[in-house]
Each structure stands twice: as C-alpha cells, then as structure tokens.
Amino acid sequence: MSEPREIPVHIIESLKSLGLTKYEALVYIGLLRVAGATATEIHEISGVPRASVYPVLDRLMQKSLVSVSHTSPKRFNATPPDDGIDSLMHRIEEDAAQAREALTAIYREKAEEHRADQEFIWSIYGQENIQGRLTDLIRNAGKEIRMVANWNLLSETILPLLRQARGAIAVEVVTDFWEGEVPEGVAVHVHRHCMKHEQCENHPPMENAGVFIVDGAKVLVWMGSSGEETSALYSESPGFVQFFSRYWTNIRDWVKLSNQ
Amino acid sequence: MSEPREIPVHIIESLKSLGLTKYEALVYIGLLRVAGATATEIHEISGVPRASVYPVLDRLMQKSLVSVSHTSPKRFNATPPDDGIDSLMHRIEEDAAQAREALTAIYREKAEEHRADQEFIWSIYGQENIQGRLTDLIRNAGKEIRMVANWNLLSETILPLLRQARGAIAVEVVTDFWEGEVPEGVAVHVHRHCMKHEQCENHPPMENAGVFIVDGAKVLVWMGSSGEETSALYSESPGFVQFFSRYWTNIRDWVKLSNQ
DNA sequence: TAAATGTTGTTACGACAAAAACAACAATGG
DNA sequence: CCATTGTTGTTTTTGTCGTAACAACATTTA
C-alpha cells in the first residue's frame, strides 16, 4: 500500500476554494489513487487520522464526490475528477446566481447620491482588477474614447475590446508603436522612439500604462509602476477629467507635430 | 444614515461559498447600498465593528470588490455586483481548472485494480448526484442500453440525454406511459395501467425509479424512496448485472404479453 | 494660542466556532 | 480470542468574530 505521498499544497488550496476542507481534499485525492478502498486504507493513503476519515467521507458523499458499498467493511469509491468538480462548481454557480440577483436588487435601490462617482478619485489595485474595470468602461462608452497607451497594453487588452464592443464610437489613440491593421473608426497617432518595437527597451519595461478618457466624463489612469503591484486611478470628477483631457490634447498635438 | 438593516442570511451564505467571510459579505453589501462611504459609515450601515472594517476593506480591495479614494478620510466604493461576482467566479474557475488537471493526472496513474468497479455495489445519494452519474453512464454507453423507468424520469432526464448523445446505440425501454414521438433506434414497451398519465396517481408518487443496464455490464438502480432522500445503486458486478438483466427480460416479456 | 473634544486609522487581545489531531471504547468477524 | 471496524469523546489549533484601547490628526472652545 502506497504511503501518504506528498500532495502539492496548491491542489489542496484549489480544492479548498471549491468548498472542501483540507481533510476532504486529502481523502478525495487518496480515493482517486486507490479505488474501492476501506476507511483504514484511506487513512493510510491520505494521512488523515482514521477516526476523522468517517465523518469526512460522510460529507464527501453528500457532495457526491464518493460513493459507498454496503459491504463489511464498507468500501468507498471516488467519482471521477471531472464529474466531481463539475458537481462542486454547479453548487457554487448556483450560489453565484443567487448572490447576483440579490445584490443587483440591493444595488439598484441604493440612494442615488452620485457623489460617489462624481467627486472622488478611486484607486484600483491589481492587474486583473484594473483590466476588468477598463473592460467595463469601454463596453459602456457612449460617444468617444481618447487614450494614450503603450503598445503592449493596447494590443493585448484594448484592441480586442474595441473590435467587438464598439458601435459608432469615435476612438482616438496616441501610442508609441503600431503594428497591424487600424480598425475602422479609430484614429491613431504614433510617436515612434524607434522603428522596431523590441528596440524600445531602453525605456524601462513599464508593463502597462495609459490614460483613458471616456465621453469626456470618465478617466482611468493606469500606472504600471514596474516592480510593485500595478495600480490605477478612476474618476468622474470634472477637475480630474479636465486635467487629463488637456494633458491628452497636449500629447496628441505634440506627437502630430513631431511626426511632420 | 440607514441602520444596519437585516440582511437575509442566505445571501451571506452564498457569498461565503464564493470565498468571502461574513464580515466581507456584510461590508460589501453595505457599500452597495451607500456608494462612497467612509469606514465609519460602513460600520454603521453594515453593523461590522469599526475596527474590523479596515482589514476587511483591505481584503475586499485585493479581491477587486471595492476601490478606495485617497482623500481624508478615505472613502470606499463597491464595484457593481455583476463585475464583482464575475471577478470572484473567475478566481474560482481558475482553481477548478487547476484542480481538474492535477486530479485527472492522479486519477489516470492509479493502480489499475478494477476490483473497485467490478466487484462491489456502490450507493449514491441525492437526486442531483444520481442524475449526474446516470448522465455519465448513458453518454459513455458503447452498444446498447436497456431500461425500466417511470415516465416522469424518462421524459425529464433520460430522453434529452438519449437524443443528443446516442450514436448507433440500441435502446430498449419499458415504461408505464408514453407520449410524443419515439426517437429512432429506440424500442418502447408500454405497460399502461391507465390511459391518461394523471390518472396513475393511485400508485404513490414514486418520484423517480428505474433500472438501467448498459452494455450488459453496468447497472444503475434508481430507487425513488418517496419521502426520504432518493438513493441509487451502481455496480459492474457480474452477479448483480445478471440478476437485473433477467429481471428486466422478465418485465419486458410480461409487458409484451399483456399488451397483446 | 492652548486646552478640550471628536474622529480616523491602527494595534492588541479575548471569545468563539470550525477544523484538525489524538485517545479510548464498543461492535464485529474471523 | 484477537484484530479490525466503526463510533464517540476530548484536546489542540486555526481563523474569524468582536471588544477595547491608543496614537495621529483635525475641529472646536476657552
């Protein structure tokens, strides 16, 4: 019988975020390795105390991750990983749907004080989070979007968004490089410090950076502070918007000029 | 300022299964109701101790559920529920994918002792769990499926499965009622205790019940013990299979006879 | 201006519940 | 009779919940 072999912790963690406990994860994994095992065998394989194995198996059965044979001694079997995880995800997605509904209801009936979005400057942390917010912003744009952004960010995140979600929205872009086709309805100003993109690496690898002005009313400033966690500012404050509108116009005019 | 209004517990529970703690849920909900609130306001709205609000907000920011304005005092804002839940689900789905991969690897390299599936009779509990297993079974059928099942179960669960997943598989069904078209490649034997389905209700509402024999090698017996939780047996044991094969043949012959 | 007051943000610590880990014991079966 | 199974407690640990106290800062009042 194989010893309680070392299980990578990150698997346990993944399973935990699917709603399992450490023991449940260990037992389930153990049962995947040895089908039709007895409680004692499971104990040996997984390293989980024998006495704890029984309640854990009960919970796993409720979650449909194991089935049991009513022999003596009882033997247990794991449902295949794909089925098992599907089952877990199904539960979670139900909860997500419920939460979505309930929270949207709450969200709609909130006091309509717009001070929140209008007067303040909000910070957002983390690549994914910023990207998500930006996605939202572009999708809900009404008339026009002006932006300064480096090519990396532009090509990987922004362009795909523009391609699908834009319906008669004017887009004006200032960037440091361009390659490939320019989508219809998009005006591009390139300030080439160099001819090939790879050569631009004297500028430190500012991973993602850009300013996005939507409908002259909303601004998102993405600061790719290389090294630390990236962060972004978002605001609908008129002063903030005006400041970056001017900043953007300056940049664009300067680039146009230097390209002549 | 609105008091810490009563939040339905099930919302909290839903959010918990998405990886939030009670406090995180309360604060997030509070912020949905009052956008751009200060820590103290959040404390008042949500009922979460003021001192606990700060670390909770930190965690929520990491999870991209709130953003912060660097004014004094700081003000916080919730990301809209749809975006927020998307963000949470995204993380979970990543974990699910990871787990899937890792577990499938483990599952494949398991000792190929088939005693597990061959010699024992496995119990499965819960409607959903059984349905899932049955789905799996039908999808992976090789040649033929024989079944006895009541019409409810048949029409709601089985037929949709058959329609999509069957490629040249012989299906023979014994049931108590039939309505609608018979799919191609399916033989049906009906034993009508009554002409209209609604009239059959002298038989107690045996919610779901049936025997499913796949390729003459696998059997699933679904026992809809009305009242308690439904349960099912699954086995590849030759004896078990043979028993139900004969049982099924008997039933079919009897029905054929009594229909003449 | 200086003291008094109040609020913000931080830190520390106790209470509590769930999970993890251990120990003991009755039931079962060869 | 012995070994193993299955069950029942108990202790330890962990993470969250909840309270209290305090420094930093701004506002008010004398």
Side-chain angles (χ1 to χ4, degrees), chain A residues 56-76:
Chain A
V56 167
L57 281 169
D58 284 341
R59 279 176 276 159
L60 286 177
M61 283 170 52
Q62 289 303 320
K63 291 173 180 168
S64 98
L65 292 180
V66 311
S67 47
V68 58
S69 99
H70 285 160
T71 53
S72 176
K74 290 179 183 171
R75 288 184 173 273
F76 300 88

Side-chain angles (χ1 to χ4, degrees), chain B residues 155-212:
Chain B
S155 60
E156 287 169 17
T157 305
I158 310 299
L159 284 183
L161 277 175
L162 285 180
R163 266 189 256 280
Q164 54 168 323
R166 185 170 38 86
I169 295 177
V171 180
E172 203 168 350
V173 179
V174 178
T175 181
D176 60 338
F177 184 80
W178 189 277
E179 201 172 45
E181 198 186 354
V182 177
E184 190 193 322
V186 178
V188 180
H189 312 276
V190 180
H191 172 61
R192 302 177 184 271
H193 343 93
C194 45
M195 297 319 279
K196 284 187 181 175
H197 188 233
E198 293 72 21
Q199 296 173 348
C200 293
E201 306 308 325
N202 49 348
H203 283 249
M206 173 103 64
E207 305 160 30
N208 284 323
V211 176
F212 304 84

Side-chain angles (χ1 to χ4, degrees), chain B residues 31-185:
Chain B
L31 261 179
L32 284 177
R33 302 211 292 131
V34 180
T38 67
T40 308
E41 287 170 339
I42 294 171
H43 150 66
E44 288 165 350
I45 301 162
S46 64
V48 172
R50 198 178 60 86
S52 305
V53 162
Y54 294 95
V56 166
L57 281 168
D58 285 341
R59 277 177 277 158
L60 286 176
M61 284 170 52
Q62 290 302 321
K63 291 172 179 168
S64 99
L65 292 179
V66 310
S67 46
V68 60
S69 99
H70 284 163
T71 52
S72 176
K74 291 178 182 171
R75 287 184 175 272
F76 301 88
N77 202 24
T79 64
D82 275 326
D83 299 358
I85 291 182
D86 278 349
S87 175
L88 292 178
M89 282 304 289
H90 181 247
R91 269 170 246 267
I92 292 176
E93 272 158 11
E94 273 183 353
D95 279 328
Q98 257 190 283
R100 237 192 205 92
E101 193 176 357
L103 294 188
T104 326
I106 293 175
Y107 186 58
R108 292 210 191 294
E109 77 179 41
K110 75 152 178 256
E112 277 302 344
E113 330 169 33
H114 272 170
R115 66 167 175 171
D117 287 342
Q118 285 179 355
E119 287 304 330
F120 295 104
I121 297 162
W122 304 102
S123 298
I124 309 168
Y125 299 108
Q127 171 98 1
E128 289 186 18
N129 306 349
I130 299 170
Q131 218 153 325
R133 188 61 150 262
L134 194 50
T135 305
D136 219 52
L137 210 56
I138 292 179
R139 266 210 264 266
N140 298 328
K143 294 181 182 173
E144 49 105 29
I145 308 175
R146 290 171 292 165
M147 58 181 83
V148 201
N150 61 337
W151 174 243
N152 269 338
L153 174 55
L154 211 56
S155 60
E156 287 169 17
T157 305
I158 310 299
L159 284 183
L161 277 175
L162 285 180
R163 266 189 256 280
Q164 54 168 323
R166 185 170 38 86
I169 295 177
V171 180
E172 203 168 350
V173 179
V174 178
T175 181
D176 60 338
F177 184 80
W178 189 277
E179 201 172 45
E181 198 186 354
V182 177
E184 190 193 322

Side-chain angles (χ1 to χ4, degrees), chain A residues 91-106:
Chain A
R91 270 170 244 267
I92 292 176
E93 272 157 12
E94 272 183 353
D95 279 328
Q98 256 191 283
R100 237 194 205 90
E101 194 176 357
L103 295 188
T104 323
I106 293 175

